Amino acid sequence: AQTVTQSQPEMSVQEAETVTLSCTYDTSESDYYLFWYKQPPSRQMILVIRQEAYKQQNATENRFSVNFQKAAKSFSLKISDSQLGDAAMYFCAYRSPSYTSGTYKYIFGTGTRLKVLA
Amino acid sequence: DGGITQSPKYLFRKEGQNVTLSCEQNLNHDAMYWYRQDPGQGLRLIYYSQIVNDFQKGDIAEGYSVSREKKESFPLTVTSAQKNPTAFYLCASRLHGYTFGSGTRLTVV
């Protein structure tokens, strides 16, 4: 069974600095999708970035980028020029490519709470 | 604008009572999901539905029930059989990726 591990329950970063959130996963599948979701105090889940496992190039969305190491099964999120609005809970998620049991199953990590210090 | 609406935002349940959480989407997505979020445990899948009149149990379905009579609606009932219902509940729909609602906080009083 697939698992997703976020080993940092909480991280802090100074405004305008860079921070990296860690995520590791375990799977026997060769093709899959990885996501980072942001959950601000409003509790709404917002997609930050997505990575297809078959792509070697790391995904980038403005100040957010990932370091995808497929062999190491690592998927870290780097936030550059951190802003106060980046403060939130961040969840790493794995999606199987297999349309098993009628759905694409997502598996979420336990989250990392990011604090941004002014 | 298209999106997912969950209501109510806060819900209080007495012991032994059934309560229903609403989830409505106007995205024309076929697939809909219910997740439960507890501190330190991430999101856990309760039920999901791929099409109207069909739904499947997720990882923690005991004590919950759902229906999918319309494509737009996927209500979740938390029954008295759910022994620890206090949690935050998130509804999602999917096309290429998930779109989440804003959640319902359920508290047992």
Side-chain angles (χ1 to χ4, degrees), chain A residues 1 9 15-16 23 32-34 41 45-46 79 92 97-98 105 117:
Chain A
E15 197 176 4
C23 174
Y32 45 86
Y33 298 83
L34 296 165
M45 295 282 279
I46 303 164
I79 306 174
C92 178
S98 304
K105 188 171 182 179
L117 308 173

Side-chain angles (χ1 to χ4, degrees), chain A residues 39 44 99 101-103 105, chain B residues 33 37 48 50 59 88 100:
Chain A
Q39 188 180 42
Q44 181 125 26
Y99 195 77
S101 303
T103 192
K105 188 171 182 179
Chain B
Y33 304 78
Q37 186 177 12
Y48 61 94
Q50 287 296 105
D59 300 320
F88 187 69
F100 284 90

